[in-house]
Amino acid sequence: MSNRRFTALKEALSHRPETSKEFPSKVSEYFGINVFNDRAMREYLPDDVYRSITENIEKSEKIDKKIADQVASAMRAWSISKGATHYTHWFLPLNGATAEKHDAFFSPSTDNRSVEQFNGNNLVQQEPDASSLPSGGLRNTFEARGYSAWDPSSPAFIMDKTLCIPTIFVAYTGEALDFKTPLLKTLSLIDKEATEVCQLFDRSITRVIATLGWEQEYFLVDEALYSARPDLTMTGRTLLGHAPAKGQQLEDHYFGAIAPRAMEFMKEFEYEAWKLGIPVKTRHNEVAPNQFELAPVYEEANIAIDHNQLVMVVMEKVARKHKFRILFHEKPFAGVNGSGKHNNWSLATNTGKNLLSPGHTPKTNLLFLTFFVNFIKAVHTHADLLRAVIASAGNDHRLGANEAPPAIISVFIGSQLTKVLDEIEKKVKDRKMTPEEKTELKLNIGKIPQIILDNTDRNRTSPMAFTGNKFEFRAVGSAANCGPAMIALNAIVANQLKEFRGELEKAMEKGEEKDEAIFKLLRTYIKQSKSILFEGNGYSDEWVKEAQKRGLSNLKNTPEALEAYVSEKTKKLFIENNIFSEKELEARWEIRHENYAKVIQIESRVLGDLAGNHIIPTAIRYQKLLVDNVKGLKEILSEEQFKQQAELQIYIIGKISEHISAIRKDVKDMIEKRKEANAIEEAHGRSVFYCNQVKPFFDDIRYHVDKVEILVDDEMWTLPKYREMLFIK
Ligand code: ADP
Ligand code: MG
């Protein structure tokens, strides 16, 4: 058993869970103990400081230097009491990961004594430089410095004895280099615009926050098997591998009993997550073998995103402790489902109302309908932007691949709400409506909550589904930061609400009565955006044709989809609302193109290497064995006997030769194309070339490699097989 695959298999089988570890069962006793949350602030801050800082946070106001100093000193005392030795600004750069640069609290002082130091300046701003993080050309000048600045709306926390302070990350020139800066801007924007609209209905609503509940899908693979697969370690997905005899067709994994080893892993990371105040709640097996899902209780969007990024880090660490590797890639294995990250989005008011949840009176339901219809209109107007923000090399494997939402953006609202919209379209009149007509309309609207309670229809094929009290953006990739999706949703909805209010004011100035003017506007929007509503099967070919007839885009790959990032429409949206400057948008567009090209480049290299130093050598070794066998038979058998008995060997020898020549030729041609691609200077052109000229080789190479895999003696195969990676638990 010198074969490295067998060594890995043996090791994987030895990775059994130890006797189940017990974690304290009363979560409320330790939930958030590692977070500088409200409770910690109350304990560590003087009353007046506590009051002003919470008010500052609540109103998103600038924090005074004196207050910052006091908060810093409280944070220091609190974190040192918990054993922390270091602090760091923690931010979300555009590479999609989290970034940190630790400094010790400890600081030597002049009189040979040392002190623990951390003041308001350290808290509020740092200059981590971090010049190697992607900037899309924003930092190419001599003034390339990058600054991080405290985000008081997301609480600091302790991880690995380090106080982590959530921050934004911007260039010296003020341009955003992260996901959080524009997100915070869109959160204020949606607060402002949604509040203004709410005020038309209910004066007590003075604040609106966007809420996000993400659902994180992932795979677990044994560490030893993972390490024996260079494609997994280098790219996060398998580039080759013959489908196992059994995949997910028996549907025996989904919601099944969780395997003990996976369970031990889950218990531990949940414990760690709870200590960090991350309200994780749901866990279950997903559709594919070794695929799982985790979902928390929803939170304010900024905190929810920080928590998602943080939990991914925690899961990764805990997975290693359990001799697993966690795969967040959208498509780690061909032939079984990939992973997504559903983003459940809604709006909550200071009065405790969910604006996407119907109320109990016609009045509150008109408020609901206003937000509901404006949302649909916003998605209709900016569908291409929504497609662009979820585009990545990994997600391209999912979207449109009959397991995930299609690449066509549409909205599912269910048959009952479709009827309600139809009714508004029919019953609202261009002329002034009679009192009877209005009463009837309002009466019908009053019935909405009952309708929704009675009819919880679901459509798993829709990229954007209304699920009773929120919209679920289901097309987001599992590896993605939710930031871009949330930035886009907040911005398009806020902008739409602003337009709505403008039009409403105009109508009312002309003397129209408010409710009637609202109905008329909603009817106009329904008419304009109906084409985005789709209730049928999003996986069907008919939908592709129908969508084309309706003029909806079907952008199949990342380079195509990214165009919407820099379209005139998108620029107008973001620039007018002060979310991005043109330069910032173009930088983001460029970073995504660059990232796409790099991912395909790396995959192409790994595939070429694997073909060259794993597949072909193994195939040749096995072929030699057969050739020797054939030669031997020839020596001892009559011609007649030989023909009969050597037929299979000769056939396989031929087949192997065919496949390895095909692999060799493909790899050679692919390398040539890669050279051409790399000569393209400009990021957009390069990613398009990688997509259309380099990537197409992948499938063909894989086809031949996977054929070789089932021809060659299992004992000789060096790479762990699908049946091993997916089924050894
Ligand atoms: P289901 O499982 O039926 O889809 P759940 O109520 O379990 O629905 O919600 C799934 C996800 O949606 C969870 O992460 C949950 O926190 C989130 N969610 C529920 N309500 C909201 C809301 N108002 N805003 C944002 N997310 C929400
Ligand atoms: Mg879901």
Side-chain angles (χ1 to χ4, degrees):
M1 297 242 280
S2 68
N3 177 323
R4 124 192 55 176
R5 169 167 145 247
F6 288 102
T7 317
L9 281 172
K10 204 170 145 195
E11 200 181 322
L13 285 169
S14 76
H15 292 158
R16 302 293 87 190
E18 294 158 33
T19 47
S20 171
K21 205 156 149 188
E22 284 304 321
F23 298 100
S25 58
K26 200 157 173 210
V27 180
S28 57
E29 274 169 11
Y30 59 91
F31 184 79
I33 51 165
N34 289 339
V35 183
F36 192 65
N37 53 17
D38 197 69
R39 196 175 31 182
M41 286 204 283
R42 252 179 229 274
E43 190 183 333
Y44 280 82
L45 285 169
D47 278 352
D48 56 327
V49 180
Y50 168 79
R51 270 197 307 276
S52 35
I53 181 83
T54 43
E55 202 179 307
N56 287 153
I57 294 171
E58 169 83 21
K59 296 185 178 157
S60 316
E61 293 165 341
K62 201 167 159 20
I63 290 162
D64 176 85
K65 164 96 176 70
K66 267 206 337 243
I67 301 281
D69 272 331
Q70 280 175 294
V71 174
S73 120
M75 266 189 201
R76 183 189 61 197
W78 169 79
S79 51
I80 290 175
S81 81
K82 297 203 165 275
T85 53
H86 287 68
Y87 65 91
T88 182
H89 275 193
W90 183 89
F91 54 96
L92 307 172
L94 296 173
N95 62 9
T98 58
E100 35 194 273
K101 177 182 166 197
H102 300 184
D103 280 299
F105 282 122
F106 159 85
S107 186
S109 68
T110 41
D111 52 0
N112 276 337
R113 281 185 305 175
S114 58
V115 291
E116 320 289 346
Q117 218 182 28
F118 178 72
N119 58 29
N121 290 338
N122 304 132
L123 169 66
V124 171
Q125 190 176 314
Q126 299 270 317
E127 190 195 324
D129 186 35
S131 58
S132 295
L133 291 169
S135 78
L138 289 175
R139 298 179 68 184
N140 289 346
T141 58
F142 65 97
E143 264 306 0
R145 277 183 286 175
Y147 289 93
S148 53
W150 180 31
D151 166 18
S153 61
S154 181
F157 56 90
I158 296 173
M159 193 165 57
D160 293 338
K161 300 202 177 220
T162 301
L163 169 67
C164 301
I165 300 148
T167 58
I168 57 165
F169 182 51
V170 294
Y172 174 73
T173 45
E175 277 134 357
L177 297 171
D178 68 346
F179 292 118
K180 195 189 261 280
T181 308
L183 175 83
L184 293 176
K185 289 181 180 173
T186 63
L187 289 171
S188 319
L189 183 71
I190 190 96
D191 175 13
K192 175 171 176 292
E193 298 306 337
T195 304
E196 299 246 22
V197 170
C198 287
Q199 287 268 314
L200 297 166
F201 297 82
D202 179 351
R203 305 296 279 177
S204 67
I205 297 177
T206 54
R207 187 158 184 246
V208 173
I209 60 165
T211 53
L212 163 64
W214 42 263
E215 300 163 55
Q216 179 73 55
E217 292 180 339
Y218 61 95
F219 279 84
L220 289 175
V221 178
D222 180 86
E223 179 176 81
L225 301 174
Y226 171 94
S227 306
R229 290 279 312 208
D231 47 357
L232 271 186
T233 56
M234 307 293 284
T235 71
R237 75 177 181 107
T238 54
L239 299 169
L240 354 137
H242 197 276
K246 170 183 187 280
Q248 64 191 40
Q249 60 275 62
L250 295 178
E251 292 160 349
D252 51 356
H253 190 69
Y254 188 57
F255 277 33
I258 299 170
R261 238 184 111 189
M263 193 66 188
E264 291 308 303
F265 156 75
M266 289 179 185
K267 280 196 229 157
E268 183 160 352
F269 88 68
E270 285 174 351
Y271 173 66
E272 293 301 328
W274 285 326
K275 285 194 292 182
L276 286 165
I278 307 171
V280 300
K281 184 148 176 92
T282 310
R283 61 183 180 209
H284 63 80
N285 281 1
E286 258 302 327
V287 175
N290 272 11
Q291 190 188 27
F292 306 92
E293 181 181 297
L294 157 76
V297 176
Y298 69 91
E299 297 175 282
E300 187 272 332
N302 178 37
I303 294 180
I305 294 177
D306 283 358
H307 279 170
N308 178 239
Q309 291 296 123
L310 185 55
V311 94
M312 287 167 83
V313 172
V314 171
M315 287 165 90
E316 172 108 43
K317 284 186 190 170
V318 175
R320 283 172 190 245
K321 274 179 84 176
H322 290 258
K323 306 259 196 286
F324 278 127
R325 287 307 163 94
I326 190 159
L327 307 176
F328 287 118
H329 194 285
E330 284 80 7
K331 191 76 181 176
F333 300 98
V336 295
N337 276 13
S339 301
K341 175 147 48 195
H342 299 173
N343 279 207
N344 295 275
W345 181 93
S346 192
L347 293 172
T349 69
N350 59 305
T351 56
K353 196 176 156 31
N354 175 349
L355 293 170
L356 288 176
S357 179
H360 293 287
T361 63
K363 189 178 143 204
T364 51
N365 281 346
L366 189 54
L367 175 64
F368 159 73
L369 273 178
T370 298
F371 279 89
F372 184 70
V373 172
N374 272 291
F375 182 96
I376 295 169
K377 173 85 162 73
V379 174
H380 176 261
T381 309
H382 292 284
D384 285 354
L385 172 63
L386 292 177
R387 174 65 187 92
V389 294
I390 54 164
S392 70
N395 217 13
D396 279 1
H397 297 287
R398 250 182 102 225
L399 300 180
N402 274 8
E403 56 163 86
I408 307 161
I409 299 289
S410 67
V411 181
F412 169 87
I413 59 172
S415 55
Q416 297 302 317
L417 280 166
T418 304
K419 266 193 210 145
V420 172
L421 298 196
D422 281 347
E423 212 170 274
I424 293 176
E425 199 185 335
K426 285 200 203 93
K427 295 214 167 131
V428 178
K429 302 287 183 280
D430 281 328
R431 56 166 168 78
K432 194 165 166 37
M433 292 166 73
T434 65
E436 291 76 35
E437 281 169 339
K438 272 194 253 176
T439 311
E440 197 199 331
L441 204 60
K442 288 188 180 168
L443 213 71
N444 286 337
I445 288 179
K447 293 180 191 145
I448 292 175
Q450 204 45 48
I451 290 173
I452 292 185
L453 284 180
D454 293 347
N455 296 277
T456 48
D457 39 356
R458 286 278 163 132
N459 183 326
R460 306 216 153 262
T461 68
S462 177
M464 183 73 81
F466 182 69
T467 53
N469 58 2
K470 61 198 179 278
F471 276 98
E472 182 174 7
F473 191 11
R474 304 177 63 252
V476 184
S478 51
N481 181 309
C482 307
M486 291 295 104
I487 291 167
L489 274 186
N490 294 338
I492 66 175
V493 176
N495 193 62
Q496 177 53 41
L497 291 170
K498 186 163 74 181
E499 278 177 18
F500 165 79
R501 196 164 46 86
E503 291 183 77
L504 185 66
E505 272 164 17
K506 254 190 247 152
M508 285 165 68
E509 272 162 25
K510 279 194 209 142
E512 264 184 60
E513 183 254 337
K514 190 175 77 186
D515 284 3
E516 190 166 338
I518 292 175
F519 273 123
K520 282 187 179 163
L521 269 177
L522 295 186
R523 183 179 67 148
T524 309
Y525 293 165
I526 293 167
K527 280 185 162 175
Q528 289 170 340
S529 45
K530 241 184 1 193
S531 63
I532 199 91
L533 298 179
F534 179 61
E535 304 291 305
N537 176 6
Y539 298 165
S540 66
D541 294 336
E542 291 81 66
W543 171 230
V544 176
K545 282 182 213 137
E546 163 75 15
Q548 198 179 11
K549 250 193 253 157
R550 294 188 190 182
L552 304 179
S553 343
N554 184 5
L555 303 166
K556 286 260 171 64
N557 62 55
T558 296
E560 272 180 47
L562 287 181
E563 284 320 284
Y565 244 98
V566 288
S567 69
E568 286 312 310
K569 207 195 304 177
T570 302
K571 282 186 178 168
K572 189 166 173 300
L573 166 77
F574 283 126
I575 297 170
E576 276 181 7
N577 287 302
N578 286 320
I579 307 300
F580 289 118
S581 67
E582 182 157 6
K583 224 171 127 190
E584 285 175 311
L585 261 185
E586 279 172 359
R588 267 156 221 257
W589 172 77
E590 187 175 319
I591 288 170
R592 286 192 171 226
H593 275 300
E594 267 177 5
N595 177 271
Y596 180 84
K598 284 178 187 161
V599 168
I600 304 298
Q601 181 188 44
I602 293 168
E603 289 185 347
S604 161
R605 286 178 177 161
V606 173
L607 188 56
D609 290 353
L610 279 177
N613 54 37
H614 279 255
I615 312 305
I616 294 180
T618 307
I620 291 176
R621 248 193 303 148
Y622 181 55
Q623 203 184 31
K624 181 172 183 312
L625 209 77
L626 296 176
V627 170
D628 290 347
N629 174 269
V630 170
K631 277 191 196 156
L633 290 179
K634 182 122 200 158
E635 267 175 36
I636 59 165
L637 299 176
S638 71
E639 190 145 329
E640 187 75 0
Q641 285 171 319
F642 175 75
K643 251 196 199 151
Q644 264 179 13
Q645 296 183 23
E647 194 214 305
L648 177 65
Q649 293 87 316
I650 292 174
Y651 170 80
I652 299 176
I653 292 169
K655 275 286 159 203
I656 290 182
S657 293
E658 266 172 43
H659 291 304
I660 58 184
S661 329
I663 295 170
R664 206 184 90 83
K665 180 170 174 346
D666 276 343
V667 170
K668 210 169 129 244
D669 293 349
M670 178 174 75
I671 293 173
E672 283 311 312
K673 287 292 177 194
R674 222 159 64 207
K675 281 186 193 153
E676 280 181 58
N678 295 341
I680 303 171
E681 293 269 326
E682 174 261 334
H684 167 243
R686 193 165 57 240
S687 88
V688 170
F689 194 93
Y690 260 109
C691 179
N692 298 326
Q693 305 287 332
V694 178
K695 194 167 167 275
F697 285 102
F698 293 9
D699 282 347
D700 203 45
I701 295 174
R702 179 177 191 144
Y703 169 81
H704 291 289
V705 170
D706 292 355
K707 287 283 179 209
V708 173
E709 180 183 323
I710 46 167
L711 287 174
V712 167
D713 181 1
D714 185 64
E715 291 273 329
M716 286 187 172
W717 200 253
T718 56
L719 297 169
K721 296 188 169 179
Y722 264 43
R723 60 168 188 258
E724 293 148 1
M725 290 184 287
L726 286 170
F727 292 97
I728 291 186
K729 306 205 188 234

